[in-house]
Amino acid sequence: MAKSTTTFTCNACGASHTKWSGRCDACGEWNSITEDTPLSAGPGAKSIGSKRGNALHLTDLSTQEAEPPRTQSGLAELDRVLGGGLVPASAILVGGDPGIGKSTLLLQAAAKFAQSGLKTLYVTGEEAPAQVRMRAQRLGLGDAPVKLAAATALRDILTTMDTEKPQLVIIDSIQTMWVDTVESAPGSVSQVRAAAHELTSFAKRKGVSVILVGHVTKDGQIAGPRVVEHMVDTVLYFEGERGHQFRILRSVKNRFGPADEIGVFEMTGAGLAEVANPSALFLSGRGDPSPGSVVFAGVEGTRPVLVEMQALVAPSPHSQARRAVVGWDSARLAMVLAVLEARCGIPFTGLDVYLNVAGGLKISEPAADFAVAAALLSAREDAALPAETVIFGEISLSGALRPVGQTENRLKEAQKLGFTSAISPSGGKSPGVAGITLNQFSDLTGFVGDTFGAG
Ligand code: TYD
Ligand code: MG
């Protein structure tokens, strides 16, 4: 008889450990390791031994499989992120910070899917039914044919799903669900994992789509959605800055569509409103051209998005100058600063550098390098870039500018929003777009000399 093995799992990265420690070796997170009792049917429960199983039924790769029929919610931003609508029997995880608007989004989605004909069940483990009903009324969705239940016991939920036979079930949230075969508190890694496993396998078996809500949190007591990511077909993150009204729904994994697609919403008094033209919104607060501000022509998924990048460079009162970034990668900022110093001879030593992506968007594209460099130079030299100009391009460590993908898409978006010129790397295949004057440079030094004199 093997002795009962207790393992420990990191809530942040999901790594397994044999003993508890204050810091996870795998990801470096502090206080994120919790005790984990193995799933009874999980790996490692019992070795298979010599008892024979059933032979599998094998099929060919060439078997014709029809494109899955999709149901559109009518919320175009949501449908696009799902890859064109909801696929039957799919499991979707929607993660995000507490209070960002997940319940609001999913209640609106539930109502829309129900109105387009899906039998929809909304299970809340966090709120009373009256609260959800009140919110639905405030959102003008009081008449939507959504069935509502407040429950946390997963066994009851699965039984209800079996008898009611809904086509879509929304579980808000996976951290509140409780599986009675697992001996640990709701919200622990083993509970979250077991609940997600039960729900996703039920979804596959019975042809029900499930949407799981997962809170992302740094608090080690509650398991993050990371431990669930591999079990579901689609992982969406709902992000945004608390102080801003914009919310971005981003697909980071999708078995039924492109990843990295974004949907843009605006949080209003009457719920989430779709933003069909995010560039116009992100640029709406922009005044006259000013030093340190440039417009980056970015692409998120298949969609061009123009955003304002703001930089501030000021003499530092401290012995170690500050580097602060909102909406971009700080390692990438360090790289751009190093290239400016080493290749263009423009030092930022003794200067505090602040960089902000306006509107609360998070940018991860390398194409933003050039825009960041231009914003930093413009702030440092206290000289504004020409008006109505967008900028994009990747910077290599040698200081060369590399062309980026979807140039035409970026230029068309700029043209649509009234921009008249673009600064970009030379080379690349794009023919350009009518109405936009291209100003191309092969390296950063050339751009610096041309735009800011000798630097
Ligand atoms: P909620 O959907 O409860 O967030 P989550 O489920 O991610 O924790 O949204 C909470 C916030 O949204 C709350 O601070 C209030 C705001 N809100 C609005 O601004 N307008 C609305 O119509 C609704 C329903 C919520
Ligand atoms: Mg909620």
Side-chain angles (χ1 to χ4, degrees):
M1 183 74 199
K3 65 175 189 266
S4 106
T5 47
T6 311
T7 55
F8 296 84
T9 304
C10 171
N11 288 331
C13 68
S16 301
H17 300 273
T18 48
K19 59 181 198 309
W20 190 87
S21 68
R23 182 165 187 262
C24 173
D25 304 334
C27 67
E29 191 70 45
W30 284 96
N31 207 15
S32 63
I33 296 181
T34 51
E35 190 173 331
D36 191 16
T37 39
L39 280 180
S40 49
K46 209 177 264 175
S47 129
I48 288 182
S50 58
K51 191 164 172 272
R52 276 174 69 93
N54 299 323
L56 303 176
H57 170 68
L58 305 177
T59 55
D60 289 333
L61 203 53
S62 64
T63 315
Q64 286 292 319
E65 206 68 62
E67 253 289 292
R70 295 176 185 263
T71 308
Q72 262 104 29
S73 64
L75 283 171
E77 296 295 304
L78 174 64
D79 292 337
R80 172 167 351 90
V81 175
L82 287 173
L86 184 72
V87 174
S90 56
I92 297 161
L93 172 72
V94 178
D97 292 331
I100 204 76
K102 299 181 295 299
S103 301
T104 310
L105 175 72
L106 289 175
L107 188 60
Q108 286 181 256
K112 289 286 194 175
F113 278 121
Q115 281 160 350
S116 22
L118 283 191
K119 191 168 173 192
T120 305
L121 172 62
Y122 186 98
V123 181
T124 172
E126 305 198 331
E127 293 163 293
Q131 269 177 297
V132 180
R133 230 174 277 128
M134 256 166 56
R135 178 183 296 158
Q137 252 141 39
R138 193 148 59 82
L139 299 175
L141 302 169
D143 312 328
V146 177
K147 290 282 176 225
L148 186 62
T152 54
L154 199 74
R155 194 178 288 277
D156 298 349
I157 295 170
L158 292 179
T159 307
T160 312
M161 282 163 72
D162 215 15
T163 51
E164 293 290 321
K165 307 211 178 336
Q167 291 161 293
L168 169 62
V169 177
I170 291 166
I171 304 286
D172 188 1
S173 64
I174 190 70
Q175 275 105 349
T176 56
M177 293 300 131
W178 175 70
V179 183
D180 54 16
T181 51
V182 176
E183 283 175 43
S184 53
S188 64
V189 178
S190 14
Q191 280 287 358
V192 167
R193 204 186 276 157
H197 175 74
E198 293 288 344
L199 282 162
T200 49
S201 50
F202 187 93
K204 297 286 161 215
R205 230 170 30 241
K206 304 278 174 155
V208 185
S209 301
V210 290
I211 302 182
L212 311 175
V213 174
H215 295 293
V216 176
T217 163
K218 290 230 157 217
D219 187 347
Q221 290 311 105
I222 303 181
R226 299 234 154 232
V227 299
V228 180
E229 277 184 0
H230 66 280
M231 290 184 217
V232 295
D233 301 308
T234 303
V235 178
L236 309 179
Y237 275 96
F238 204 38
E239 43 185 58
E241 297 287 326
R242 274 297 177 84
H244 288 290
Q245 72 271 40
F246 312 126
R247 297 286 181 272
I248 315 283
L249 186 65
R250 188 188 294 275
S251 74
V252 295
K253 160 180 172 181
N254 195 351
R255 287 186 185 146
F256 306 116
D260 262 335
E261 197 61 82
I262 64 164
V264 185
F265 296 87
E266 188 178 359
M267 184 58 99
T268 69
L272 290 157
E274 297 185 75
V275 176
N277 189 346
S279 302
L281 197 68
F282 287 129
L283 296 179
S284 61
R286 205 169 52 104
D288 291 331
S290 59
S293 150
V294 304
V295 176
F296 165 53
V299 170
E300 295 287 338
T302 56
R303 174 178 225 201
V305 180
L306 304 191
V307 276
E308 186 188 352
M309 299 273 209
Q310 303 163 340
L312 177 67
V313 175
S316 179
H318 309 289
S319 56
Q320 183 153 20
R322 287 202 61 162
R323 306 282 182 250
V325 193
V326 178
W328 207 50
D329 182 13
S330 51
R332 204 95 199 162
L333 173 68
M335 187 203 88
V336 172
L337 288 171
V339 171
L340 283 172
E341 175 148 9
R343 307 294 176 197
C344 310
I346 302 173
F348 283 80
T349 331
L351 296 171
D352 283 341
V353 174
Y354 300 90
L355 182 76
N356 178 37
V357 179
L361 190 69
K362 286 194 183 69
I363 292 180
S364 51
E365 250 199 306
D369 293 352
F370 197 10
V372 169
L376 293 172
L377 288 165
S378 156
R380 190 182 184 280
E381 307 298 320
D382 199 28
L385 241 56
E388 312 310 342
T389 300
V390 298
I391 180 163
F392 56 89
E394 187 180 342
I395 298 176
S396 70
L397 290 181
S398 65
L401 292 167
R402 290 210 198 118
V404 291
Q406 306 207 42
T407 300
E408 196 173 340
N409 234 344
R410 298 173 203 266
L411 295 177
K412 274 189 185 149
E413 180 78 357
Q415 193 261 344
K416 211 164 79 190
L417 282 140
F419 288 84
T420 52
S421 65
I423 301 174
S424 65
S426 46
K429 302 185 278 285
S430 176
V433 163
I436 299 273
T437 317
L438 281 182
N439 230 331
Q440 296 187 317
F441 298 93
S442 61
D443 56 40
L444 206 49
T445 323
F447 166 74
V448 173
D450 190 83
T451 315
F452 300 100

